[in-house]
Amino acid sequence: MLDFSCQGPGGPVNPGLRERQKADRRRRIEAAAKAVFHEKGYDAATTREIAARAEVSIGTLFAYARDKRDLLTMVYRDELHALTESTYASVPPQAPVLDQLIHMFEPRYAYWSSDTALARHALRETFAATYPIDGDANAATADAPEHFLLLKLVALIRAGQRDRRIKANDGPELIARVVLDIYLSENRAWLAQPSPLLDEGMTHLRAALELALRAVSPNRSGSKSSRTRSK
């Protein structure tokens, strides 16, 4: 059956235009949600106010997100996916593994520090550590920012094993999950502070990661650069 839901002057709007219109509405809704969450706080924000800011009907908004929690998920999922892509693309390929991991995680800390109150809601409401244990993921899990990040971490660990910057023969998925768990735990502890400081958060994360990597590093002592910075 033909879809006549989007009509132009001469008949149905072509699928390409319809997709562009849908993407534009999604961008407007995401921008409006982020602005209202930032201005009002998550608890005080309403879906009606977000719909009005995005210049869409409340029914249209609910076609993109079921509720306020879904809106928060949508905003941060897209932004964190883009952040993960950009940081992974710029990882120094031959740097010590610890420095590569810090390269991946530091921009995320900076991202969360831009609005720590909203970040706490995002982490509590939407970003529980949901990623596949046995390499299998349902649709919701596969789209989660943590799962997307995990895939990049697995690639970094596998490359480190290949060129012997990591000596352990354990599966790269297992090592990457341990690294991700450390990041998630440290990030939540950092954000739980009344006034989280970026440098302090990164210092604690680096120390925790270095401790874990001693078991898999050839020299069992982390990277030279990390030891220099910690003095």
Side-chain angles (χ1 to χ4, degrees), residues 60-116:
T60 296
L61 184 142
F62 286 142
Y64 289 81
R66 292 168 296 181
D67 51 28
K68 190 166 64 172
R69 180 181 180 275
D70 230 16
L71 283 169
L72 189 63
T73 302
M74 186 170 71
V75 168
Y76 284 108
R77 180 181 58 228
D78 289 354
E79 293 189 346
L80 285 174
H81 273 49
L83 183 61
T84 298
E85 284 280 20
S86 64
T87 52
Y88 180 74
S90 60
V91 167
Q94 294 305 315
V97 175
L98 177 58
D99 291 341
Q100 291 182 328
L101 295 176
I102 294 299
H103 180 91
M104 291 291 296
F105 292 136
E106 188 165 11
R108 297 175 82 89
Y109 267 66
Y111 176 82
W112 292 123
S113 70
S114 65
D115 190 335
T116 54

Side-chain angles (χ1 to χ4, degrees), residues 36-56:
V36 174
F37 287 147
H38 181 73
E39 293 167 11
K40 298 291 185 68
Y42 178 77
D43 290 329
T46 67
T47 52
R48 287 196 175 278
E49 185 174 6
I50 291 168
R53 179 77 66 96
E55 299 181 337
V56 299

